[in-house]
Amino acid sequence: MKRLFLVLALLAPAACRKDAVETRRVPKEGSAAAPMSAAGGAPGGVHWKLPPGWKELAGNGMRAATFRLPQAAGKAEVSVVVLPGDVGGELANVNRWRGQLALPPVTEDGLADGRATVDSALGPIFVYDFTGGGEKKTRLCAGMARVSGTTWFFKLMGDDKAVAAAKPAFLKLLVGLTN
Amino acid sequence: MRRDDALGRAAAALGSMRLTAVCLSLLMLLVTMCTLLQVPLGTHLAVERTIRTFLIWWTPAGATIKLPVFPGGGLVGSLLLTNLLFAQFLKLERSRRKAGLWIAHLGLALLFVGEFATALFQVESQMPIEVGQTRDYSEDARLMELSVADVGDPAQDTVTTIPESLLKPGAEISDAALPFTLKIKRWYANSELGMRKPGDPPSEATAGVGADMAVRERPVLAVDDAQNAAALLVEARAGAESLGTFWASNALGAPQGFAREGRDWRLTLRPRRYYLPFSMTLKEFKHDVYPGTDIPKNFSSLVRLRDAGAGEDRDALIYMNHPLRYGGKAFYQASFGKDDRLSVFQVVRNPGWLIPYLSCALVALGMLMHFGLKLSASLRSAK
């Protein structure tokens, strides 16, 4: 029994191990957005290949990344936002975009009329293209993809003409998305 | 010599075969319970709540108190070990003739000690790594940590990590490496995050991603393939000045932080990391199948192991049932993905990993000795 107590006495301090704050210097990590990276054991998030001339800026606020379009500097840009779950569903997001252009909301029945589908390695990406009213027309072309329990939003928004010019490259970017 | 007083009777009861039978029956029940509980709880939690505990607790619906309802694996294992030791010392003859049985029993006792050592010391984590990628840490997705990184240096970040166990509402965290304190306001082990809609109450966050988000607590998901979206509401303060209140979550990819004393700080809630003093680069992953079928034959990962401190720089092949053991850890081929571009290693640190092998060797040696002596005695008497 003495030996048993000895073993238990040696093991007891381990049961009282305390977690502590630690500081270390580590190499910088890549900037690829990687939410829920542990889900399914897969590191990294969605990867893209930028069209010629486009520039990627670091994410900030809600954005995982921003793409600057030098051809339409100040007139249009692409934002990338990733959120867990379905973020309220397709209808809620479509109406949120329409609200940004001061357009009236659509119903579930009207969703399919405005939806285009792009095939990518991530699966189908639903694409919507809306143009606001008024003298200075603002246009929004957005794609949403479900990836491992998250929703990725790619939104090209800006001046109507600039968005129209950038749309083919934007759709090509969506087709080329991988994880 | 046997004592007939209360102490003697207690010792006899502790070393009795009846107690052995009761303990073995309880263990069988525990294994059954653990197996059934794996469906709602997942493997890890089921083992933690039935096997690696001294008592199994139950909370009645609507109550806050916990009631012990069944002995756990720790208690039954301790009783069985005590039973084995008492039976050995009280009943087993101390002679050369019984040396084999003594060794076999010692092996069995060592097996129990090994399981206790595993329960106390073993740390399991995962290392997902893509072909061409280099990693010097593994992660435990069941635990979170808040990473506070000074990202001003273009080459390296200075990262202060605060483990989940310290992220309790009301806690104030300060550290010599941080020129501010962190006040923990809320902690949700699982949550639902979404964009704020008109009519939603104002966000409790004043800066970063969370200022535009609605965060709601959700029941914790325990099943094996589920990932909780943990959420932490934390305020950074420098004296009386608030540097911002942030919602951090492992489910958010966008970076967020603030500037203080000319340095940029970034807050991230992420799976708990265990840094290694060496690195591994995945050079190649192979997923072999039997010819003409999709049936897996073998999975293997060729890695480059680099440890500047130990002068190690070599290739190592990790494949099914052939882990790489290095630096006190074992790297097992556990999973794969991304069209065979991703390999996932189970990383196990278990200082007692040799104990089961040693105990099995002792049991085998003891039985060989015991039955060898019996055989030799039987052969002698037959002559």
Side-chain angles (χ1 to χ4, degrees), chain B residues 304-334:
Chain B
R304 186 75 182 178
L305 175 68
R306 290 189 184 90
D307 185 348
E312 199 82 48
D313 189 353
R314 63 178 165 93
D315 285 348
L317 188 65
I318 301 171
Y319 55 105
M320 303 297 285
N321 302 321
H322 283 80
L324 164 69
R325 292 189 191 278
Y326 188 80
K329 296 175 179 64
F331 296 79
Y332 295 88
Q333 181 69 61

Side-chain angles (χ1 to χ4, degrees), chain A residues 74-119:
Chain A
K75 292 182 178 174
E77 69 171 16
V78 174
S79 62
V80 182
V81 171
V82 55
L83 289 167
D86 67 357
V87 203
E90 189 180 357
L91 180 65
N93 285 294
V94 166
N95 282 330
R96 184 168 51 79
W97 290 327
R98 290 181 65 84
Q100 288 170 7
L101 300 175
L103 295 172
V106 293
T107 61
E108 192 78 46
D109 296 336
L111 263 186
D113 297 338
R115 182 201 295 140
T117 304
V118 166
D119 288 321

Side-chain angles (χ1 to χ4, degrees), chain B residues 130-345:
Chain B
E130 287 185 47
V131 175
Q133 200 176 34
T134 299
R135 281 262 170 132
D136 63 353
Y137 62 85
S138 58
E139 292 176 320
D140 184 351
R142 293 185 301 259
L143 293 172
M144 292 289 137
E145 68 182 14
L146 178 65
S147 148
V148 187
D150 175 355
V151 295
D153 187 325
Q156 284 192 310
D157 291 340
T158 303
V159 181
T160 299
T161 51
I162 302 149
E164 181 180 323
S165 58
L166 303 181
L167 302 175
K168 294 192 167 73
E172 288 210 22
I173 294 158
S174 55
D175 189 81
L178 305 176
F180 46 80
T181 58
L182 294 167
K183 186 170 183 186
I184 308 302
K185 295 191 156 185
R186 289 191 194 281
W187 165 256
Y188 300 153
N190 189 26
S191 65
E192 180 186 310
L193 295 93
M195 291 182 198
R196 281 185 62 241
K197 300 187 188 80
D200 277 348
S203 173
E204 291 177 273
T206 60
V209 183
D212 298 317
M213 298 193 70
V215 182
R216 297 175 187 87
E217 188 170 19
R218 288 287 176 259
V220 175
L221 306 171
V223 289
D224 290 338
D225 52 355
Q227 171 71 53
N228 287 300
L232 174 79
L233 186 68
V234 57
E235 182 184 17
R237 296 188 70 87
E241 183 193 354
S242 175
L243 305 174
T245 301
F246 300 84
W247 271 117
S249 171
N250 60 317
L252 291 172
Q256 54 180 338
F258 52 88
R260 177 70 189 164
E261 294 182 357
R263 289 141 77 187
D264 288 327
W265 297 87
R266 190 159 290 176
L267 296 172
T268 314
L269 192 69
R270 66 188 189 188
R272 175 87 185 258
R273 281 188 189 179
Y274 301 101
Y275 285 95
L276 308 167
F278 51 89
S279 70
M280 295 214 300
T281 304
L282 181 61
K283 294 175 76 173
E284 186 182 54
F285 175 72
K286 276 191 180 170
H287 171 187
D288 303 325
V289 294
Y290 287 100
T293 73
D294 291 330
I295 301 167
K297 183 181 174 187
N298 186 38
F299 304 105
S300 63
S301 298
L302 180 65
V303 297
R304 186 75 182 178
L305 175 68
R306 290 189 184 90
D307 185 348
E312 199 82 48
D313 189 353
R314 63 178 165 93
D315 285 348
L317 188 65
I318 301 171
Y319 55 105
M320 303 297 285
N321 302 321
H322 283 80
L324 164 69
R325 292 189 191 278
Y326 188 80
K329 296 175 179 64
F331 296 79
Y332 295 88
Q333 181 69 61
S335 186
F336 65 99
K338 292 197 170 185
D339 293 328
D340 295 346
R341 285 184 289 116
L342 170 82
S343 184
V344 183
F345 302 130

Side-chain angles (χ1 to χ4, degrees), chain A residues 17 22 24-25 28-29, chain B residues 120 153 157-158 161 273:
Chain A
R17 278 177 297 179
E22 290 176 4
R24 70 184 72 238
R25 285 179 69 75
K28 280 199 176 296
E29 288 183 39
Chain B
L120 288 172
D153 187 325
D157 291 340
T158 303
T161 51
R273 281 188 189 179

